[in-house]
Amino acid sequence: MRSNVEKLSDINKLVEEYKLEAEQINRDQTLLAWEVTPFPKLQEIMTAKDPYEKLWNTAWQFYTSFEQWMNGPFQGLNAEAISDEVQNMWRTLHKLQKTLTDQVGPRRVADMIKNRIDKFKVHIPLLQVICNPGLKERHWDSMSQLVGLVLPHDSTASLSDLIELGLAKHVEKLDEIGGSASKEYSLEKAMTKMKDEWNEMIFTFVKYRDTSAYILSAVDDIQLMLDDHIIKAQTMLGSPFIKPLEDDMRAWCERLTLLQDIIDIWLKVQAAWLYLEPIFSSDDIVNQMPEEGRKFATVDSHWKEIMTNAVKDAHVLIATDQPGMLDKLRDGFHLLEEIQKGLNNYLEKKRLFFPR
C-alpha cells in the first residue's frame, strides 16, 4: 500500500510538471498565432490514474488510522471527526467497487478494505461514548458500576481494551450516561463562555469638566449583554442537567444580579451627583444650607473614592468588585434624595420671599 501511494505521488509530480510545460507551450503558441496543441494523452493519464489513486490512498489512510484508532490511546480522539472520515472512506470505496468492476486485483483490494471499514464501523458508537469530552470521573464511575467492571480510561487505555471487556453489548445504556455528560459539558462550556466574555468587558470613563473626577459613560452595550446573560444563566440554572454545576451557576447568577443592581444605582447616583455638584460647589449655597452641604460632602467623598477605584481597572467585573460598593451607592442615593428634597424646600422659601 505504502509503495503504491509513493509511486502515485511520484506520478503526480511528473504529471504536474508536464501540465506546466504544456501550458507554457500553449501560451507560446498563442503568442506566435500558431495552432494550439491539445495534449490529449496528458488528460487520459490523469483520468486513468484517478481511481487507483483514490483506492491506494484510501487503503493506506484507513490502514494507518485504524491502528491509531484501535490500539492507540482513545483520550484526545475526536469520535465525530473519525465517524465522518470513515463514512467518506466507505463512500469512496463503494464507488470504486463499481468503477473497478473489470479490474480483478484492484476490485479485490476495494472489497477487502471496505469489509474492514464495515467491521470497524460497528465500534464507532462505543468510540463516541468513550471519547465524549464531557466525561468526568463521576461518569466513568457510573459506567463502571453499570457494567460491573472497572473501566480503564487513563492515557494508555485504547478502544480495543474496552472492546475486549465486552462493552459493545452495553453501548445503549452507556450512551445514556454519555448523553447526560454531554448536556452537562454544554452547560459548563456556556458558563465558561459567559465568564470569558465578561472578563473582556470594560467600562468607559470620561473626565468630569476640568476636574480630576471621572464619570461613567456609554453603558448601553454592557446593559444589553447583562440582560441577555441573566436570562441565559437563569434558564441554565433550571436545566435538569445543572446539578454538578449548580453551586457555580448559582454563584454566577448572583454575581450578574449584583452587577445589574450596582450599575442601576450607580447611574442614578451619577445623574443626581451631576445635577447637585455645580450647586454645592458654591460656598454661598453651602453656608445657606449647611445640613445639605454636609450630606453632599459625604456623598461626594464616597463617590469620588468609588470612581477612583473603578478607573484604576476598568474591567467590569473588577471595577464592580469593590467592598460594600452596592451599599455605599444605595446610602449615597438616599442622601442625595434628602439633599434634593432640602434644596427644593430652600427654593420654595425663596420663591415665597421673592414672588417675582
Side-chain angles (χ1 to χ4, degrees), residues 10 98 100 102-103 116 137 176 244 348:
D10 291 339
K98 297 176 182 178
L100 301 170
D102 300 331
Q103 305 290 322
R116 288 185 181 178
E137 196 61 37
E176 292 178 11
E348 188 61 32

Side-chain angles (χ1 to χ4, degrees), residues 40 107 113 126 152 207 307 316:
R107 170 61 192 263
I113 300 299
L126 177 58
K207 276 207 166 189
M307 295 306 293
V316 172

Side-chain angles (χ1 to χ4, degrees), residues 181-241:
S182 295
K183 296 288 196 326
E184 292 168 14
Y185 185 58
S186 295
L187 290 170
E188 187 178 1
K189 281 203 301 183
M191 182 168 67
T192 302
K193 184 172 181 279
M194 278 197 288
K195 289 182 177 180
D196 288 343
E197 287 179 10
W198 278 108
N199 286 336
E200 299 300 319
M201 191 61 73
I202 295 175
F203 281 124
T204 301
F205 296 105
V206 294
K207 276 207 166 189
Y208 174 64
R209 295 184 177 176
D210 296 327
T211 68
S212 60
Y214 285 85
I215 58 173
L216 191 58
S217 171
V219 294
D220 290 349
D221 290 343
I222 293 173
Q223 287 180 312
L224 280 173
M225 191 167 94
L226 187 55
D227 291 342
D228 180 47
H229 281 201
I230 286 175
I231 292 170
K232 279 184 182 176
Q234 288 174 345
T235 303
M236 288 162 64
L237 196 57
S239 167
F241 300 99

Side-chain angles (χ1 to χ4, degrees), residues 35-265:
E35 184 180 348
V36 176
T37 307
F39 299 107
K41 283 288 182 184
L42 190 57
Q43 188 58 46
E44 286 176 23
I45 291 171
M46 291 170 65
T47 304
K49 76 175 176 62
D50 184 62
Y52 302 106
E53 189 172 19
K54 287 179 179 174
L55 174 67
W56 291 111
N57 281 337
T58 304
W60 179 243
Q61 181 187 359
F62 179 72
Y63 175 79
T64 52
S65 299
F66 177 83
E67 184 61 29
Q68 180 189 357
W69 296 338
M70 283 295 289
N71 301 314
F74 64 75
Q75 281 190 8
L77 292 179
N78 186 327
E80 294 305 322
I82 291 171
S83 177
D84 292 341
E85 193 175 343
V86 168
Q87 195 58 37
N88 288 335
M89 291 180 188
W90 189 92
R91 278 196 292 265
T92 299
L93 290 165
H94 182 69
K95 291 175 183 176
L96 287 172
Q97 284 178 318
K98 297 176 182 178
T99 306
L100 301 170
T101 302
D102 300 331
Q103 305 290 322
V104 179
R107 170 61 192 263
R108 191 164 62 246
V109 174
D111 291 343
M112 179 182 69
I113 300 299
K114 185 167 172 288
N115 287 337
R116 288 185 181 178
I117 289 176
D118 283 331
K119 289 178 182 177
F120 178 74
K121 282 171 72 176
V122 174
H123 302 306
I124 286 181
L126 177 58
L127 188 68
Q128 289 173 326
V129 170
I130 63 175
C131 292
N132 187 336
L135 288 178
K136 307 288 188 201
E137 196 61 37
R138 64 178 180 274
H139 300 119
W140 283 105
D141 291 342
S142 298
M143 291 193 292
S144 295
Q145 191 173 359
L146 179 68
V147 300
L149 295 166
V150 177
L151 301 181
H153 55 281
D154 58 17
S155 58
T156 62
S158 65
L159 174 61
S160 59
D161 292 337
L162 297 178
I163 291 171
E164 287 175 12
L165 291 174
L167 253 63
K169 60 187 178 185
H170 299 289
V171 166
E172 287 188 13
K173 291 181 179 178
L174 294 175
D175 194 43
E176 292 178 11
I177 297 173
S180 297
S182 295
K183 296 288 196 326
E184 292 168 14
Y185 185 58
S186 295
L187 290 170
E188 187 178 1
K189 281 203 301 183
M191 182 168 67
T192 302
K193 184 172 181 279
M194 278 197 288
K195 289 182 177 180
D196 288 343
E197 287 179 10
W198 278 108
N199 286 336
E200 299 300 319
M201 191 61 73
I202 295 175
F203 281 124
T204 301
F205 296 105
V206 294
K207 276 207 166 189
Y208 174 64
R209 295 184 177 176
D210 296 327
T211 68
S212 60
Y214 285 85
I215 58 173
L216 191 58
S217 171
V219 294
D220 290 349
D221 290 343
I222 293 173
Q223 287 180 312
L224 280 173
M225 191 167 94
L226 187 55
D227 291 342
D228 180 47
H229 281 201
I230 286 175
I231 292 170
K232 279 184 182 176
Q234 288 174 345
T235 303
M236 288 162 64
L237 196 57
S239 167
F241 300 99
I242 197 64
K243 191 159 185 61
L245 307 166
E246 187 172 2
D247 290 343
D248 286 344
M249 180 54 76
R250 198 171 294 283
W252 179 241
C253 275
E254 289 172 1
R255 182 68 182 91
L256 291 178
T257 304
L258 174 64
L259 178 58
Q260 187 178 52
D261 291 343
I262 286 175
I263 291 176
D264 286 348
I265 193 69

Side-chain angles (χ1 to χ4, degrees), residues 3-14 53 57:
S3 175
N4 286 341
V5 167
E6 289 172 355
K7 285 178 183 177
L8 283 160
S9 178
D10 291 339
I11 291 170
N12 277 335
K13 288 177 185 175
L14 284 171
E53 189 172 19
N57 281 337

